[in-house]
Amino acid sequence: MPDSVTITDNRTGESVEVPIVNGGIDADHWNKLLPGIWFLDPGFGSTASTESAITELDGANGILRYRGYPIEQLAEQSTFLEVCYLLLNGELPDKSQLDQWTHDITHHTFIHENMRKRFYEGFHYDAHPMGMLVSAIAALSTFYPEAKDIEDRENRFIQINRLISKVPTLAAMAYRASIGMPFVFPDNNLTYAENFLSMMWRVAEPSYEPDPVLARAMDVLFMLHADHEQNCSTTAMRVIGSAHADPYSAAAGATAGLYGPRHGGANEAVIQMLRDIGSYDDIPAFIESVKAGEGRLMGFGHRVYKAYDPRARIVKNQADEVFKITGRNPLLDIALKLEEIALSDDYFKSRNLYPNVDFYTGLIYQAMNFPMDMFTVLFAIGRMPGWLSHWNEAVDQGVRISRPRQVYTGPAERNYVPISER
Ligand code: CMC
């Protein structure tokens, strides 16, 4: 049997045989046979928007690999900065490459004083940190106008370095601004995750010493979020990048996409849901209300995973380690029971709805004292290398500007009616 599909235009009897390559067919064949006939695919359920060599996601079998390396092995043995290097460059670094990369990231964590003194102070006292982060990332483009030169690969990597270095600083500043605490400057003696925790929590101590278990948990969570192929925010990054916008502007757009409760905002929504449920006894009634269409079970379901999200399993194990230090999050019992009931219920089973990465991350963040409105910010720090890897790959590919078509369903031509006659 040939590995191909045949498309026939029944109006003319013309057909074209299209080879299936890497699990996809080239839409160009369709366009040539059927000009002006568009695939109607809202939400891109059947559309591969690009070829990519970064992340492999097999949703049916619960497999996630960065550049071929299973997420389980990376979470167990690697570090976030090593994973950033891997995603961006395609290979794990050797010792000297990793040392250089770590040095470069560590020494670009400071931001312009105008950002701190004028920009952040301009926000309202109760501004959401995600709103601040989106704006702050966009504002960076005004400090680095040379970022517009995206054709120069070396210049691209300078901006990539800056974004990965500075996003924890911007994130921690958003938090400190929201609680009226002075900003903490980056500490170059700390690792990436430790430095972020220091900028979040340091008060008057001469140097901040984070608990190694919590710093490792933070690093692992960043790794788990580092990439997830063509999700909503990454697609936003690639689409904006295809217009040749600078990477700060594109990353601000991606961060805005992440903000939504169906995407990165779900971790916050999970805690809200667990709080609203309140007690064990109320779980069955809550499940029934979800089944009746009165809301969604947040932290469950995924467009691509139709099996247990492999990241959720790793997060669940991390939670055990974190709770040994912080004490058990009281909402954990409700979460575990909710998962048990949902996984044995036909509604969820028949729709392949399993816990996703967001179901347990919020519990860890909460136990580590992060306020709920910082949860998605943590996701954004982790996802930055993924966004940038895809942006860089797309520029290397020389992709055309993203410009999908539509199937028009509005009125046919009609004449303007003066307001007095309407
Ligand atoms: N609770 C209850 N029912 C659900 C849920 C849920 N969480 N998710 C999907 N369904 C139902 C949905 O009602 C539909 O049922 P029916 O066929 O009877 O109409 C069916 O399952 C298919 O749903 P869909 O909306 O077509 O699925 P989707 O692929 O468009 O949406 C999703 C994926 C993640 C947006 C959705 O599952 C959801 O809203 N989940 C809750 C939010 C969440 O946890 N998001 C985090 C995603 S993972 C992290 C990330 O990548 O951002």
Side-chain angles (χ1 to χ4, degrees):
M1 291 282 263
D3 216 4
S4 64
V5 293
T6 299
I7 306 163
T8 305
D9 183 346
N10 291 328
R11 299 167 304 178
T12 61
E14 260 184 88
S15 51
V16 61
E17 188 181 340
V18 187
I20 300 173
V21 181
N22 293 328
I25 59 168
D26 187 341
D28 212 33
H29 296 280
W30 174 280
N31 290 339
K32 283 187 184 133
L33 179 71
L34 298 161
I37 307 279
W38 312 121
F39 278 112
L40 180 59
D41 187 18
F44 311 126
S46 306
T47 300
S49 60
T50 184
E51 290 182 309
S52 179
I54 300 170
T55 288
E56 186 184 0
L57 205 178
D58 174 350
N61 296 304
I63 288 171
L64 175 63
R65 299 182 188 130
Y66 296 160
R67 302 281 190 185
Y69 295 102
I71 190 67
E72 293 80 3
Q73 289 182 23
L74 294 168
E76 179 83 29
Q77 299 174 57
S78 188
T79 62
F80 178 63
L81 281 193
E82 191 176 59
V83 161
C84 292
Y85 186 99
L86 171 68
L87 289 169
L88 286 160
N89 297 287
E91 297 297 334
L92 287 167
D94 63 23
K95 171 94 176 62
S96 71
Q97 288 166 328
L98 183 60
D99 287 349
Q100 184 65 50
W101 172 240
T102 305
H103 177 275
D104 290 347
I105 293 295
T106 308
H107 288 81
H108 291 92
T109 45
F110 276 67
I111 56 165
H112 196 286
E113 274 293 272
N114 279 355
M115 285 284 283
R116 183 171 72 87
K117 289 198 180 131
R118 296 170 180 222
F119 189 82
Y120 272 87
E121 284 178 6
F123 286 106
H124 201 47
Y125 73 95
D126 61 352
H128 193 291
M130 268 307 273
M132 288 194 251
L133 186 66
V134 170
S135 328
I137 292 173
L140 282 187
S141 76
T142 66
F143 290 90
Y144 304 112
E146 72 275 18
K148 286 186 174 64
D149 182 7
I150 62 157
E151 304 295 346
D152 178 347
R153 205 163 192 275
E154 201 179 319
N155 184 37
R156 283 210 302 270
F157 270 83
I158 293 171
Q159 315 314 323
I160 287 172
N161 186 339
R162 284 181 174 144
L163 268 161
I164 294 175
S165 306
K166 293 180 200 310
V167 76
T169 313
L170 298 177
M173 282 172 70
Y175 167 68
R176 304 285 289 206
S178 72
I179 57 161
M181 287 279 282
F183 300 125
V184 176
F185 288 109
D187 181 342
N188 288 356
N189 294 315
L190 300 176
T191 66
Y192 191 84
E194 288 171 344
N195 177 49
F196 173 60
L197 294 176
S198 163
M199 292 187 291
M200 283 291 298
W201 309 127
R202 188 170 160 196
V203 183
E205 57 275 47
S207 66
Y208 182 79
E209 285 177 23
D211 185 291
V213 173
L214 301 187
R216 175 65 191 164
M218 196 76 261
D219 206 59
V220 171
L221 289 169
F222 286 156
M223 275 189 265
L224 296 184
H225 287 94
D227 193 39
H228 214 228
E229 47 118 303
Q230 310 309 318
N231 53 84
C232 174
S233 54
T234 303
T235 300
M237 182 89 190
R238 288 188 89 122
V239 169
I240 300 169
S242 78
H244 287 187
D246 70 81
Y248 301 99
S249 303
T255 310
L258 189 73
Y259 195 176
R262 286 178 165 189
H263 190 12
N267 48 21
E268 195 177 331
V270 169
I271 298 295
Q272 197 54 57
M273 174 188 76
L274 296 174
R275 277 190 183 154
D276 289 347
I277 295 173
S279 80
Y280 249 50
D281 297 343
D282 295 317
I283 295 175
F286 174 75
I287 293 276
E288 287 312 311
S289 72
V290 169
K291 287 160 63 176
E294 287 164 24
R296 288 200 165 188
L297 182 46
M298 299 311 285
F300 261 66
H302 198 277
R303 172 64 58 80
V304 183
Y305 289 122
K306 299 303 166 202
Y308 211 99
D309 180 338
R311 303 168 301 172
R313 195 167 280 121
I314 300 168
V315 174
K316 216 169 160 182
N317 293 338
Q318 273 300 319
D320 292 336
E321 296 303 308
V322 168
F323 295 161
K324 280 182 204 156
I325 308 294
T326 61
R328 197 176 157 88
N329 188 326
L331 293 176
L332 177 67
D333 292 326
I334 297 185
L336 288 169
K337 193 70 191 168
L338 196 58
E339 179 185 335
E340 184 191 314
I341 294 178
L343 292 184
S344 60
D345 189 296
D346 270 350
Y347 175 94
F348 297 92
K349 282 202 290 192
S350 64
R351 289 168 178 77
N352 293 317
L353 297 171
Y354 293 89
N356 59 49
V357 69
D358 287 325
F359 193 64
Y360 286 105
T361 45
L363 291 173
I364 299 185
Y365 298 150
Q366 201 181 38
M368 288 172 77
N369 271 334
F370 286 102
M372 270 163 55
D373 57 11
M374 278 297 286
F375 292 2
T376 313
V377 172
L378 302 175
F379 193 153
I381 298 174
R383 185 55 56 88
M384 188 56 75
W387 291 332
L388 292 166
S389 303
H390 283 274
W391 168 73
N392 188 52
E393 181 179 63
V395 179
D396 275 344
Q397 287 167 337
V399 291
R400 298 171 78 194
I401 189 167
S402 292
R403 202 330 183 164
R405 307 304 293 242
Q406 65 167 12
V407 173
Y408 178 68
T409 59
E413 184 183 10
R414 48 185 173 162
N415 289 327
Y416 180 80
V417 182
I419 196 158
S420 56
E421 294 169 27
R422 280 178 229 159

